[in-house]
Amino acid sequence: MTVAVENGRRMFDYWLTVYKRTWKGTVISSFLLPLLYLAAMGIGLGSFVDSNGTGALGGVSYLQFIAPGLLASTALQIAVGEATYPVMGGLKWQKFYHSMIATPLRPADVVYGQLGFIAFRVFTSCTVFLVIIALFGGLRSPLGVLALPVALLVGMAVAAPIAAYATTLENDSGFAIVFRFGVVPAFLFSGAFFPVSQLPDWIEWLAYVSPLWHAVDLSRGLSLGSINPLLAVVNVVYLLAWFLVGTRLAVRGFTRKLIG
């Protein structure tokens, strides 16, 4: 166990060193775009929605309604971005993962280090975004700060299985499926912008399968101070299951690719 932790830490140090040289390229996608979404949807469209009454939203402003959803969605998009092309690059193009396992590092250590760095990216970006949300008045309850660990959890819940999926691909064309049929529908239909109860029944139930819906629901309950304890437990367990199963599959996939 001690060896695994130390090896994972070394992998994380590697990614952190790389990020120190490349972080400027992530400013727009990680910080500016979420801010623009918050301003356009929460303040721009929100002023129109609020002027026509907020009864359908339980008496909260539209900004307060969508802010937790945007936070969870931002976590998901960052995690997906870090678990797709960077993973394939390490396996197929640059092949630096192969160099890593030539050392005492195991494929599992490589996976843990990669996921640790993704967790760092999600946490730091969402921390800044949460501060912005608070400054805009998007948090109605002090419990809203707990939306940050929820964002981290949903990020890891999608990063692990997508990293596992990346190990099965021969080229990056398979990522189009992830973005077109996974990320985009989840972003639009997981309750971030409107209650999923407004959807047709068959689409509504599909929304409940998405990890993002569980994160949005839990984050919103915390942010608005209207948390349902039983449903919150279901949300957390569901997200943890995605993460744990995904991590196991990622370790198996990396082992197959790097060792055979």
Side-chain angles (χ1 to χ4, degrees):
M1 182 65 179
T2 303
V3 173
V5 172
E6 177 61 21
N7 287 344
R9 184 191 64 78
R10 291 175 179 176
M11 272 296 303
F12 176 78
D13 286 344
Y14 164 79
W15 283 111
L16 193 60
T17 301
V18 172
Y19 187 62
K20 288 178 181 178
R21 301 176 180 177
T22 61
W23 67 270
K24 294 180 181 179
T26 66
V27 171
I28 292 179
S29 61
S30 299
F31 304 113
L32 184 58
L33 288 181
L35 174 60
L36 294 177
Y37 265 114
L38 185 66
M41 303 298 293
I43 300 176
L45 179 61
S47 61
F48 174 77
V49 173
D50 295 342
S51 66
N52 287 274
T54 57
L57 300 177
V60 303
S61 70
Y62 190 62
L63 172 63
Q64 293 172 338
F65 179 82
I66 70 166
L70 287 177
L71 180 68
S73 299
T74 298
L76 179 140
Q77 292 179 50
I78 292 172
V80 171
E82 294 291 344
T84 48
Y85 290 98
V87 171
M88 176 161 283
L91 289 171
K92 190 171 182 64
W93 302 322
Q94 299 165 308
K95 295 189 175 182
F96 49 78
Y97 290 140
H98 295 77
S99 301
M100 292 173 180
I101 64 164
T103 71
L105 293 175
R106 305 165 301 168
D109 301 323
V110 174
V111 172
Y112 301 150
Q114 180 76 65
L115 293 179
F117 174 71
I118 295 175
F120 168 79
R121 287 277 290 111
V122 170
F123 184 80
T124 52
S125 298
C126 288
T127 297
V128 174
F129 192 31
L130 185 63
V131 171
I132 294 172
I133 289 173
L135 292 176
F136 273 82
L139 298 182
R140 196 176 187 185
S141 167
L143 291 176
V145 297
L146 296 178
L148 182 58
V150 176
L152 177 61
L153 181 56
V154 71
M156 303 315 297
V158 298
I162 289 178
Y165 172 67
T167 67
T168 68
L169 301 177
E170 293 301 322
N171 57 66
D172 61 347
S173 62
F175 293 146
I177 298 175
V178 174
F179 288 101
R180 293 176 184 174
F181 301 106
V183 175
V184 173
F187 183 62
L188 295 176
F189 301 112
S190 292
F193 299 105
F194 56 86
V196 295
S197 58
Q198 303 298 313
L199 295 170
D201 290 343
W202 66 276
I203 299 181
E204 180 181 350
W205 283 105
L206 285 177
Y208 297 145
V209 176
S210 167
L212 184 57
W213 178 86
H214 290 269
V216 170
D217 183 75
L218 182 54
S219 297
R220 182 170 291 138
L222 291 167
S223 179
L224 300 180
S226 57
I227 192 73
N228 180 325
L230 180 59
L231 183 56
V233 171
V234 173
N235 295 149
V236 171
V237 170
Y238 188 75
L239 293 173
L240 281 174
W242 272 71
F243 171 57
L244 295 175
V245 172
T247 300
R248 183 176 181 84
L249 292 175
V251 171
R252 184 180 301 174
F254 269 69
T255 301
R256 184 183 66 254
K257 278 287 188 179
L258 298 177
I259 297 179

